Amino acid sequence: MPPARLAPLQPRAELRARDRALFASDVHLHDADPDTAGAFLDALAREARGASHLFLLGDLFEAWVGDDDASAVGARLAGALDALARAGKRVYLMRGNRDFLLDAAVGAAGAAGAAGAAGAQAFSARCGATMLADPCAIVAFGTRVLLSHGDALCTDDLAYQAFRAKARSSAWQRNFLRRPRAERLEMARSLRQRSELEKADKAAYLMDVNAAAVKRLMRAAGVRVLIHGHTHRPAEHRFSLDGAPALRWVLPDWDARAGRGGMLVATRSGLQPVGRWD
């Protein structure tokens, strides 16, 4: 059940008349797919030239087993985001279901063993970015907008929600992060394989958001606009919420081989998709 109310971000995150914000999610970066990494980083460099804010709403990585990650693509993304932050862009990160351990080593410090991730620098610090809670509200050109990764809204998938609750507990994360990185990577690979097998047998509705859960969350946050990812079903949904028009944007995933990948751009003129939203 969502909280009774959600506080907006501080005024520094408020989008004003001359601002231009980018929203993206579900890039699923990993070293075995350099084409998708290249497509995303090229699009980011191109679209960020005129942007003031960047919101990355989870699943940046195919798997993230701790901030001691040594992948080449992790270093490339951190470098690109840090360069944007140094150029004056405001960069925000949100955890997804694949990278919910972003910055988690900070909370595990002192509990993990020497072989674990506890001593690693927080990923957000490497990027010059600010971590966002999921969900959180911002103010965009005078309108409150709710941001979420989206997996918490897939409430019909009870098995996933049970795992989500367990994996986000401090006890589970401390236990996981104290393991050697190679062991954590193997555990992540095994979990992903099991997830893919289970997904093949799941009804489609289990992997999409629940409409009632969406309305409850938006009502609790006092918003009429929601932006999220996770489902890989990019679309603009218009509907009625308590008798008033409401809007839900679902961000696309990125896959260079399939020609997919895009962002949502916010200006005072409204919200506009860019890229491939097939």
Side-chain angles (χ1 to χ4, degrees), residues 43-112:
L44 180 62
R46 181 175 62 253
E47 297 297 335
R49 290 192 188 106
S52 56
H53 296 69
L54 171 64
F55 297 89
L56 299 178
L57 303 184
D59 280 7
L60 296 178
F61 298 99
E62 180 71 5
W64 188 262
V65 299
D67 287 347
D68 59 343
D69 174 85
S71 66
V73 74
R76 287 181 67 191
L77 179 63
L81 297 181
D82 184 61
L84 292 177
R86 291 177 182 275
K89 320 293 184 183
R90 297 176 182 176
V91 180
Y92 298 90
L93 306 178
M94 181 179 285
R95 299 174 181 90
N97 56 293
R98 302 287 188 89
D99 50 16
F100 61 87
L101 289 171
L102 286 170
D103 276 29
V106 175

Side-chain angles (χ1 to χ4, degrees), residues 28-211:
H28 299 286
L29 297 171
H30 58 110
D31 284 345
D33 186 4
D35 291 341
T36 297
F40 174 72
L41 291 171
D42 287 348
L44 180 62
R46 181 175 62 253
E47 297 297 335
R49 290 192 188 106
S52 56
H53 296 69
L54 171 64
F55 297 89
L56 299 178
L57 303 184
D59 280 7
L60 296 178
F61 298 99
E62 180 71 5
W64 188 262
V65 299
D67 287 347
D68 59 343
D69 174 85
S71 66
V73 74
R76 287 181 67 191
L77 179 63
L81 297 181
D82 184 61
L84 292 177
R86 291 177 182 275
K89 320 293 184 183
R90 297 176 182 176
V91 180
Y92 298 90
L93 306 178
M94 181 179 285
R95 299 174 181 90
N97 56 293
R98 302 287 188 89
D99 50 16
F100 61 87
L101 289 171
L102 286 170
D103 276 29
V106 175
Q121 182 185 24
F123 185 73
S124 63
R126 291 167 58 190
C127 300
T130 299
M131 293 299 301
L132 298 176
D134 183 2
C136 71
I138 64 170
V139 177
F141 313 104
T143 299
R144 278 174 59 86
V145 176
L146 196 65
L147 308 180
S148 177
H149 176 61
D151 60 321
L153 294 168
C154 298
T155 55
D156 293 315
D157 192 344
L158 300 180
Y160 170 72
Q161 293 302 330
F163 172 77
R164 186 183 190 277
K166 178 177 72 173
R168 281 157 178 73
S169 70
S170 57
W172 189 95
Q173 293 188 2
R174 283 196 301 269
N175 180 62
F176 184 81
L177 291 170
R178 68 165 53 97
R179 301 171 186 270
R181 184 171 63 212
E183 183 179 346
R184 284 178 273 133
L185 287 168
E186 178 57 28
M187 291 174 67
R189 185 192 65 79
S190 178
L191 285 170
R192 184 61 192 147
Q193 284 185 337
R194 187 174 72 182
S195 174
E196 288 298 319
L197 289 173
E198 292 174 348
K199 188 184 298 184
D201 294 327
K202 279 186 179 179
Y205 78 92
L206 292 176
M207 295 179 283
D208 202 355
V209 300
N210 177 281

Side-chain angles (χ1 to χ4, degrees), residues 186-243:
E186 178 57 28
M187 291 174 67
R189 185 192 65 79
S190 178
L191 285 170
R192 184 61 192 147
Q193 284 185 337
R194 187 174 72 182
S195 174
E196 288 298 319
L197 289 173
E198 292 174 348
K199 188 184 298 184
D201 294 327
K202 279 186 179 179
Y205 78 92
L206 292 176
M207 295 179 283
D208 202 355
V209 300
N210 177 281
V214 167
K215 289 186 175 182
R216 284 197 301 268
L217 182 63
M218 295 178 71
R219 187 179 294 118
V223 302
R224 291 288 184 270
V225 181
L226 168 65
I227 301 172
H228 71 85
H230 179 65
T231 64
H232 300 190
R233 300 178 182 189
E236 177 191 14
H237 298 275
R238 295 182 179 273
F239 57 101
S240 177
L241 178 61
D242 299 333

